[in-house]
Amino acid sequence: MSRDASLPISIRQVAKSYGPVTALDHVDLDIRSGEFLTLLGPSGSGKTTLLMVLAGFTRPDQGSLRFGDHEVIRLAPHKRDVGMVFQSYALFPHMDVAANIGFPLRLRRVGKAEAAARVERALEMVRLAGYGRRRIDELSGGQRQPLSALDKQLREHMQIELRRLHEALGMTTVYVTHDQREALTLSDRVAVINHGRIMQLDAPRRLYERPATRFVAEFIGESNFLPVEASGGGYCLAGQRLKLPADFVPGGPRLLMLRPERLRILDGAAPDQLNVLHGTVQDVVYQGDTVLVQVLLAAGAAVAVRAASTSGAMAAIPQRGAPVRLGLAPDDTALLADDGFAP
Amino acid sequence: MSWLGGPASETQITHRARLWLYVLAALVMAFLVLPTLIVIPMSFSASQYLEFPPRHWSLRWYANYFGSAVWMQATATSLKAGALTMLVATPLGTMAAYGLFVSRLRWARLVPALLLAPIVVPVILVGIGIFYAYVKLKLVNTLLGLVLAHSMLAVPLVLVVVSAALKSYDMSQERAARSLGASRPLAFLLVTLPQIRFAVISSAVLAFLTSFDEVVVAMFVSGGDNSTLTRAMFDALRDQIDPTIAAISTVMILISSLLVVLSQVFGRSR
Amino acid sequence: MSAGGPANAAGLRRDALRERLALFSLSLPALVLVVVTMVIPVAWLFWLSFLADDGSLSLVNYRRLVVQPSYGRILLTTFEVSGLATLICVVLGYPLAYVLSQLRPRVANLCMLGVLMPFWTSILVRTYAWLVLLQRNGLVNDWGKRLGLWEAPVSLVYNLPGTLVGLVHIMLPFLVLPLYGSMRAIDRDYLRAAANLGASPAAAFRQVFFPLSLPGLLAGSLIVFILCLGAYVTPAMLGGGRVIMVANGIATDIQMFFNWGAASALGVVLLVLAAAMLFIASRLTRLDRLFGSHGT
């Protein structure tokens, strides 16, 4: 009888303080059945603490934690039936690979034959069939542990592997990282966390295109920010009225978020529907797959523009010191509240 | 000897220029190591008087040692006391090391201080203090009293060695085991203990040797039928310099070295 | 959602307390052993030192320490011997530690076994070895005569020199170990920087390496000094009755005179001295960390 690995998780009012330092500030979070959710935040944000609370290694000061219908907040780690993967591998060096995988089975007194079969299936699933007898120090880094300590290419390959495994097994998965690209790649939803509080919980795309606060916008992807003035039901930048997205809800002082790759260098007549910004080219930096253009806006601020590095696109970039017009689609014109949080 | 001209350190000083330093260091090493070793050939000397190098060889002192009921009794006592001390101090010290390492008690600074105190307090005080207490408790000249006292002396050593090993041990392994379904004690036994076994085994050997080699407390607390080997040796040395002592010393060196070598061999994780 | 207060807070607090107690109980057996066999007896001694022969509270035992000249001599001898032994250990141990710290780690570890070997041989065996070596027709006198250093056998044991040799032999590892550790920890880049900035090897040693090795040297010296204060076996066996240190005095007071008052008072003095040294040591190392190494 196997337990259901796709239980939804419900976190309510979980708080944890270490003396004067608040690690978790009354967190509420609902994780759907079978979902891959990533906790994304800088170091010290509380993401690891929250994960430890889920696993049972950190006891919060208060709160409720449910796996499906069961309240587990006071349950010891070994009774929670969660599988935890540690940053430092945490593979048992004094056992071989098969013994490592079979460890939980042995604890649950699963019969030898059945355990051996399940270990084999597990090995096949991670593409390590036949490695059962190997000792841990004979495995390479990539074999021991996906992600973290690996180089970039291997890491990205592993991320895709992890997604494949998740899709095949359908387990509710909570992942912790400070790497926003990794979070966007792997997750069904991402919870951006800082100062022990969840700033925003959304699917990757919405998070990227509609960040709720400046902190989230700065943490995910690159962006520049310009203050805009409210005027008569809308917003203006340097006196020019901005064309805003259809679903925009006005209210309060705002910042205009400019993602470098969403600004287009305009060549010739500007299409009607775009917002246009005027400025002068400061620097053009070739970066291989893209070109970074530093522009000083007439409004006074400096912004970065990311353009394609195809010869056609590069030819359209004015020289240093020359004037330039940047186009921004209304849908990409994201105005957000300045929450004053430094990322 | 071309290396003499080579650089000996980051300051590029040559080996030749500091040859005197190497000679001095070698002499000091010899001073440390050799004196103990001369006891070994001495024990095979035929002469009644302590002479080195021996002119004639003989095993008479060993015969003296192994043939004497008194010496054998003392040796048995020391071995028993050592083994029992090892069996008491090692688990106690290891448990304390683990408990202190894992907990975050506010008074967690007083406890290690207390547990390390036996190393700091001059052993003569410990000796007379225990003697005084044992007289009242009728524990003088008993094996139990001796083992308790020696265990107290050995616990700090076990604590230090095992704590050092725990500090360089990755605790997330134990957490991994617990997340996989092992309770804390089980996780310790199945995952942590096998990986700190070198420290546990060497501290066990240290505990044994602490008891086996101990002189001062034994002098006050062991006696009569329960005299330790060291106590008997100390008394014998007061009277005359009996070459039998050389034979006994050699046996003691042998036992100690054997234990240390064994602990290195069996303790090392692959 | 619970109506009365934050969810599960009381229960979680109870769980946390239970866990803390469980972990503390792991140290309990060892604690009980140490308290029962050491703390209580030593506290008892403390108490005894303040009791006169008739059982009343008094300072007579301490007064005796001040008044009777023999005790003054004992304390003086103890400090002299401890100081000399520590000094010799520093002179011999520093070069050894230095050379060891310069060796490749694997070779150094092997040599360390030699340094540690005294730890696993009984102090009796080591002292006995010195008895043999230093006696009138022992090896040292033999070689001294052969090398023409002296004609008649020199009295090398059953006196102060003999005691010092024995003590240094026993204490040397206690100095070398922390000193070695501290030297190994010195970043080699500092020496390279010194050479790069124009320092000769001698100057680099004097102004960079030596000051950085001072914390380890101080720690080791203090350990040696404190251990020498409480020395018993070595002066007893190699001193020939001419070197009476505090521990010997205590033992004599008990074993020969059954004078528990005197012995415990002397013991308290020894304990206070050792504690004071430790305190100075902790202060010194903290200061060191605060001010870094001195030097131009």
Side-chain angles (χ1 to χ4, degrees):
Chain A
M1 183 190 67
S2 60
R3 286 180 216 256
D4 190 353
S6 64
L7 292 172
I9 302 174
S10 148
I11 303 171
R12 289 277 174 278
Q13 292 291 296
V14 166
K16 176 75 183 172
S17 300
Y18 294 102
V21 179
T22 307
L24 292 173
D25 191 357
H26 299 87
V27 176
D28 289 311
L29 183 60
D30 273 305
I31 306 175
R32 301 175 190 144
S33 163
E35 168 175 39
F36 192 117
L37 182 126
T38 298
L39 299 171
L40 176 67
S43 61
S45 56
K47 58 189 192 296
T48 311
T49 311
L50 187 57
L51 195 72
M52 287 295 180
V53 169
L54 283 174
F57 293 116
T58 298
R59 195 179 281 109
D61 301 325
Q62 65 171 79
S64 155
L65 177 65
R66 303 175 91 86
F67 294 167
D69 292 327
H70 303 287
E71 173 67 58
V72 300
I73 194 94
R74 295 179 64 182
L75 213 55
H78 64 282
K79 296 204 184 110
R80 291 199 188 191
D81 261 349
V82 288
M84 182 146 178
V85 182
F86 290 81
Q87 216 177 339
S88 60
Y89 302 358
L91 295 166
F92 309 139
H94 61 296
M95 303 182 196
D96 63 21
V97 173
N100 263 274
I101 299 180
F103 185 76
L105 300 175
R106 177 173 145 211
L107 288 171
R108 289 166 178 74
R109 303 186 199 282
V110 172
K112 268 184 126 178
E114 189 194 337
R118 288 167 72 168
V119 167
E120 264 315 301
R121 276 209 304 275
L123 282 171
E124 272 164 21
M125 208 177 302
V126 294
R127 307 207 216 271
L128 282 179
Y131 272 71
R133 287 274 150 256
R134 296 279 181 100
R135 305 213 64 93
I136 299 302
D137 51 19
E138 295 172 32
L139 297 178
S140 71
Q143 288 170 328
R144 294 186 207 192
Q145 161 86 320
L147 314 168
S148 38
L150 304 176
D151 61 55
K152 188 165 177 290
Q153 281 183 331
L154 193 52
R155 230 183 126 122
E156 289 181 351
H157 175 76
M158 279 299 180
Q159 286 169 5
I160 299 179
E161 268 296 295
L162 204 61
R163 261 206 87 82
R164 183 185 68 82
L165 268 174
H166 175 255
E167 239 128 84
L169 296 168
M171 306 175 296
T172 313
T173 306
V174 180
Y175 189 76
V176 161
T177 183
H178 57 270
D179 183 333
Q180 43 103 3
R181 196 182 195 80
E182 193 170 75
L184 298 176
T185 308
L186 295 169
S187 328
D188 293 324
R189 284 194 301 168
V190 177
V192 178
I193 184 170
N194 196 25
H195 297 308
R197 227 177 296 153
I198 296 185
M199 302 274 122
Q200 186 173 354
L201 171 65
D202 248 327
R205 180 164 181 180
R206 268 201 73 79
L207 206 64
Y208 189 82
E209 293 179 347
R210 296 278 180 271
T213 67
R214 176 171 185 162
F215 169 74
V216 177
E218 281 189 325
F219 201 76
I220 308 215
E222 306 167 47
S223 41
N224 292 119
F225 299 95
L226 296 177
V228 294
E229 306 99 41
S231 103
Y235 289 90
C236 284
L237 176 68
Q240 258 194 299
R241 210 170 169 73
L242 289 172
K243 303 180 184 85
L244 298 169
D247 59 351
F248 179 72
V249 176
R254 294 298 184 107
L255 287 173
L256 171 65
M257 176 184 81
L258 295 168
R259 295 242 190 245
E261 77 281 358
R262 302 294 160 113
L263 288 164
R264 232 175 28 171
I265 296 182
L266 296 173
D267 200 16
D272 262 341
Q273 66 272 36
L274 290 181
N275 286 307
V276 179
L277 305 162
H278 300 267
T280 342
V281 175
Q282 302 291 96
D283 202 1
V284 180
V285 185
Y286 178 75
Q287 293 192 322
D289 52 349
T290 54
V291 181
L292 194 67
V293 184
Q294 304 284 356
V295 174
L296 182 62
L297 291 179
V303 295
V305 181
R306 206 167 272 288
S309 54
T310 59
S311 24
M314 287 189 69
I317 303 175
Q319 288 185 334
R320 230 187 256 181
V324 66
R325 284 170 310 141
L326 304 174
L328 183 69
D331 264 349
D332 291 328
T333 309
L335 294 181
L336 27 109
D338 184 354
D339 57 3
F341 275 113
Chain B
M1 299 267 252
S2 58
W3 64 267
L4 275 174
S9 86
E10 289 72 21
T11 57
Q12 304 299 311
I13 188 173
T14 61
H15 286 294
R16 183 178 293 118
R18 50 188 214 178
L19 208 54
W20 63 272
L21 187 62
Y22 300 154
V23 171
L24 179 57
L27 285 174
V28 178
M29 270 295 263
F31 170 74
L32 270 177
V33 175
L34 292 180
T36 323
L37 295 179
I38 70 138
V39 172
I40 302 176
M42 263 213 53
S43 64
F44 295 106
S45 145
S47 156
Q48 171 86 357
Y49 305 101
L50 301 175
E51 60 174 31
F52 185 84
R55 262 177 305 201
H56 303 285
W57 304 89
S58 144
L59 284 175
R60 61 188 280 204
W61 307 115
Y62 287 95
N64 224 9
Y65 172 46
F66 288 108
S68 152
V70 174
W71 284 122
M72 284 293 102
Q73 167 89 305
T75 310
T77 306
S78 277
L79 286 173
K80 264 187 284 184
L84 288 171
T85 302
M86 180 174 73
L87 290 174
V88 170
T90 312
L92 254 58
T94 306
M95 272 172 30
Y98 180 75
L100 285 174
F101 183 69
V102 168
S103 70
R104 251 183 272 122
L105 286 168
R106 233 159 309 170
W107 55 79
R109 250 176 268 153
L110 180 62
V111 174
L114 263 178
L115 290 175
L116 290 174
I119 311 187
V120 172
V121 174
V123 72
I124 184 73
L125 287 177
V126 175
I128 64 171
I130 292 188
F131 179 53
Y132 191 74
Y134 278 8
V135 166
K136 309 259 170 167
L137 296 169
K138 310 253 201 315
L139 277 175
V140 189
N141 296 347
T142 64
L143 190 61
L144 172 66
L146 190 62
V147 171
L148 285 177
H150 280 175
S151 301
M152 175 264 294
L153 288 174
V155 158
L157 291 172
V158 176
L159 183 67
V160 166
V161 173
V162 175
S163 296
L166 282 173
K167 227 176 276 180
S168 58
Y169 170 69
D170 185 7
M171 259 305 175
S172 48
Q173 294 206 25
E174 202 181 271
R175 275 186 232 126
R178 286 165 71 195
S179 77
L180 289 170
S183 64
R184 202 178 204 138
L186 204 57
F188 174 75
L189 283 172
L190 291 177
V191 174
T192 306
L193 195 57
Q195 298 196 54
I196 57 169
R197 74 173 182 275
F198 180 51
V200 175
I201 293 179
S202 7
S203 65
V205 168
L206 268 175
F208 177 89
L209 289 175
T210 302
S211 164
F212 194 61
D213 293 341
E214 209 278 322
V215 182
V216 180
V217 174
M219 194 176 69
F220 285 102
V221 160
S222 83
D225 274 346
N226 278 312
S227 285
T228 61
L229 192 55
T230 47
R231 162 105 203 229
M233 282 170 79
F234 191 65
D235 288 338
L237 276 165
R238 281 240 174 104
D239 304 329
Q240 17 115 240
I241 309 187
D242 187 347
T244 316
I245 307 278
I248 305 176
S249 303
T250 308
V251 171
M252 285 178 81
I253 295 176
L254 213 73
I255 295 179
S256 308
S257 308
L258 197 69
L259 279 172
V260 172
V261 166
L262 281 177
S263 79
Q264 298 276 329
V265 166
F266 283 110
R268 284 248 172 266
S269 34
R270 309 175 50 258
Chain C
M1 206 80 74
S2 72
N8 296 313
L12 286 165
R13 252 201 313 272
R14 270 202 306 273
D15 292 338
L17 193 65
R18 210 175 295 144
E19 182 173 32
R20 274 207 297 271
L21 282 176
L23 288 174
F24 175 68
S25 70
L26 285 175
S27 315
L28 213 55
L31 264 176
V32 167
L33 180 67
V34 171
V35 167
V36 167
T37 53
M38 195 198 78
V39 177
I40 295 181
V42 172
W44 218 328
L45 278 179
F46 227 89
W47 170 246
L48 264 184
S49 71
F50 292 105
L51 292 181
D53 288 331
D54 56 9
S56 60
L57 268 175
S58 119
L59 284 174
V60 62
N61 293 313
Y62 289 98
R63 215 170 291 143
R64 191 189 300 120
L65 284 182
V66 177
V67 164
Q68 251 185 273
S70 60
Y71 288 115
R73 270 200 301 273
I74 289 180
L75 284 168
L76 199 64
T77 309
T78 306
F79 273 97
E80 270 177 7
V81 174
S82 306
L84 275 172
T86 308
L87 204 64
I88 301 175
C89 278
V90 169
V91 168
L92 291 180
Y94 196 95
L96 177 61
Y98 179 77
V99 171
L100 286 177
S101 72
Q102 302 288 299
L103 293 171
R104 271 196 305 272
R106 206 174 297 174
V107 183
N109 280 337
L110 210 67
C111 294
M112 264 313 176
L113 275 174
V115 173
L116 289 173
M117 205 181 80
F119 278 145
W120 69 69
T121 29
S122 169
I123 190 174
L124 273 181
V125 171
R126 287 180 268 164
T127 323
Y128 175 69
W130 281 113
L131 262 178
V132 171
L133 281 170
L134 295 174
Q135 56 175 336
R136 297 186 76 80
N137 42 348
L139 201 64
V140 177
N141 264 315
D142 223 31
W143 278 88
K145 269 188 280 189
R146 276 197 224 174
L147 290 173
L149 291 172
W150 52 77
E151 301 251 320
V154 179
S155 183
L156 290 166
V157 78
Y158 297 124
N159 53 18
L160 181 64
T163 310
L164 279 175
V165 171
L167 268 180
V168 168
H169 188 237
I170 302 209
M171 296 300 169
L172 208 49
F174 287 104
L175 182 87
V176 171
L177 277 171
L179 190 53
Y180 171 77
S182 144
M183 284 176 170
R184 267 266 182 236
I186 296 178
D187 195 336
R188 298 282 176 245
D189 278 342
Y190 286 135
L191 294 167
R192 288 189 196 109
N196 179 256
L197 291 168
S200 69
F205 173 79
R206 215 175 35 243
Q207 296 187 32
V208 178
F209 191 89
F210 182 71
L212 289 174
S213 70
L214 271 180
L217 182 61
L218 243 64
S221 313
L222 272 153
I223 294 175
V224 168
F225 189 77
I226 296 176
L227 288 171
C228 284
L229 285 181
Y232 174 77
V233 176
T234 312
M237 280 179 63
L238 296 175
R242 297 194 184 89
V243 180
I244 306 182
M245 296 175 70
V246 174
N248 306 110
I250 294 176
T252 313
D253 270 338
I254 301 248
Q255 290 171 322
M256 289 236 273
F257 304 122
F258 303 109
N259 192 344
W260 283 93
S264 53
L266 205 51
V268 168
V269 170
L270 179 60
L271 192 58
V272 167
L273 278 173
M277 294 277 104
L278 264 178
F279 183 70
I280 296 176
S282 67
R283 282 264 162 242
L284 273 175
T285 44
R286 219 174 300 155
L287 282 174
D288 242 297
R289 243 175 275 154
L290 215 65
F291 293 122
S293 50
H294 303 284
T296 46

